[in-house]
Amino acid sequence: MKKVVFDNYEQLSVAAAEFVAAEINKKPKFNLGLPTGGTPVGMYKNLSEMNKAGKVDFADVTTFNLDEYLGLERSHDQSYWYFMNKNLYSNVNLKPENINIPNGTADDMDAETKAYDKKIEDMGGLDLMVLGIGPNGHIGFNEPDSYLIAPTHTVTLTQSTIDANARFFDSADDVPKMAVTMGVGNIMKAKKILMLISGANKKAVAKALNEGIVTPENPATMLLMHPDVTVLIDKDADQ
Ligand code: F6R
């Protein structure tokens, strides 16, 4: 695991966008796994500007998002589709047919999750997976537990995740209790992983990544077993 420490969030965001752009520019047809949340907003802003400046081209990029809340329509302003559209899709030359997010309102979630995994496999797998990390160590919505699930699956969110995400909603009661997420297997199969860690509330989970112990109680530690992970972290989150 390679770690690069930045003085602040702005610098981290520029470096994250440059990392993603450089990977896209290396390969004509690129499969890109993407997160939502507060952390990647700066990266998306920089990627949008780089796209407008002709420094990165999304025409042949296919995106696969990590997760989505269950029960929120795309038009809901807290759905991850809405977030992605606002922060990236509407700002860059991604083709609408190349955008993938698990559908959290599908009638048959079992079929939805299987189809999502099949599409990733059929496309040749993820070239790069960009990740954030929950204050509890979750990646995607793979929550701390005594076991981890490999494929895309539905999940009941932990209270700590509901509390952490309440800042985006009117109240914690409005945060959906369930989500659909890529599993740890999907993430581990990505050829390359870029993890973004920012803010003092991530210090404890970031520290655990330095300790070399892999445990489902801190799902991000699974990444210690992946051969190509780069962590971009700001000083506030670094120990
Ligand atoms: C979101 C996701 C989550 C977030 C994590 C950190 O798609 O997969 O794992 O990356 O909850 O969120 P922020 O960046 O808001 O701290």
Side-chain angles (χ1 to χ4, degrees):
M1 198 177 261
K2 189 180 158 218
K3 184 171 93 169
V4 190
V5 185
F6 295 89
D7 280 343
N8 55 50
Y9 174 73
E10 286 68 33
Q11 287 175 15
L12 180 153
S13 298
V14 170
E18 284 173 352
F19 187 106
V20 173
E23 290 301 316
I24 291 174
N25 289 340
K26 272 187 213 164
K27 190 171 177 275
K29 287 203 176 298
F30 197 84
N31 298 332
L32 178 60
L34 292 172
T36 58
T39 312
V41 169
M43 174 187 77
Y44 290 137
K45 183 172 169 284
N46 281 286
L47 276 173
S48 302
E49 286 167 9
M50 289 174 79
N51 182 245
K52 286 195 176 64
K55 291 183 183 156
V56 61
D57 183 8
F58 284 88
D60 282 325
V61 175
T62 300
T63 61
F64 289 91
N65 263 72
L66 277 163
D67 42 22
E68 178 60 282
Y69 289 118
L70 283 199
L72 295 193
E73 298 289 344
R74 281 181 168 192
S75 55
H76 190 289
D77 66 3
Q78 288 308 327
S79 79
Y80 284 167
W81 200 95
Y82 190 100
F83 170 97
M84 289 304 300
N85 191 46
K86 180 175 162 212
N87 287 286
L88 187 73
Y89 304 156
S90 62
N91 306 329
V92 298
N93 65 329
L94 257 175
K95 295 191 180 113
E97 63 271 27
N98 290 347
I99 290 171
N100 299 281
I101 295 196
N103 178 3
T105 58
D107 289 334
D108 183 345
M109 282 312 298
D110 190 42
E112 171 66 19
T113 54
K114 287 194 169 76
Y116 201 68
D117 288 351
K118 184 171 183 317
K119 186 153 188 197
I120 296 172
E121 293 296 319
D122 289 351
M123 294 287 298
L126 299 172
D127 295 300
L128 174 66
M129 176 83 247
V130 185
L131 294 173
I133 183 171
N136 66 1
H138 74 209
I139 45 177
F141 277 136
N142 293 278
E143 297 279 40
D145 209 327
S146 53
Y147 61 90
L148 294 168
I149 299 175
T152 299
H153 59 281
T154 57
V155 57
T156 301
L157 300 176
T158 61
Q159 192 57 44
S160 82
T161 294
I162 291 170
D163 292 344
N165 289 1
R167 70 194 197 276
F168 299 117
F169 291 79
D170 290 338
S171 78
D173 288 343
D174 295 325
V175 182
K177 307 286 176 286
M178 292 190 74
V180 51
T181 182
M182 276 190 206
V184 172
N186 302 87
I187 295 169
M188 291 295 283
K189 276 192 259 176
K191 293 177 188 81
K192 202 182 264 283
I193 293 179
L194 178 67
M195 168 164 265
L196 312 180
I197 313 182
S198 170
N201 67 333
K202 306 285 172 69
K203 217 172 199 150
V205 280
K207 187 164 177 272
L209 289 178
N210 289 331
E211 285 163 0
I213 295 168
V214 179
T215 164
E217 304 295 341
N218 182 349
T221 59
M222 283 294 291
L223 301 178
L224 292 166
M225 298 198 290
H226 190 284
D228 192 348
V229 180
T230 301
V231 176
L232 306 185
I233 184 166
D234 65 15
K235 269 188 179 161
D236 287 348
D238 199 35
Q239 55 186 321

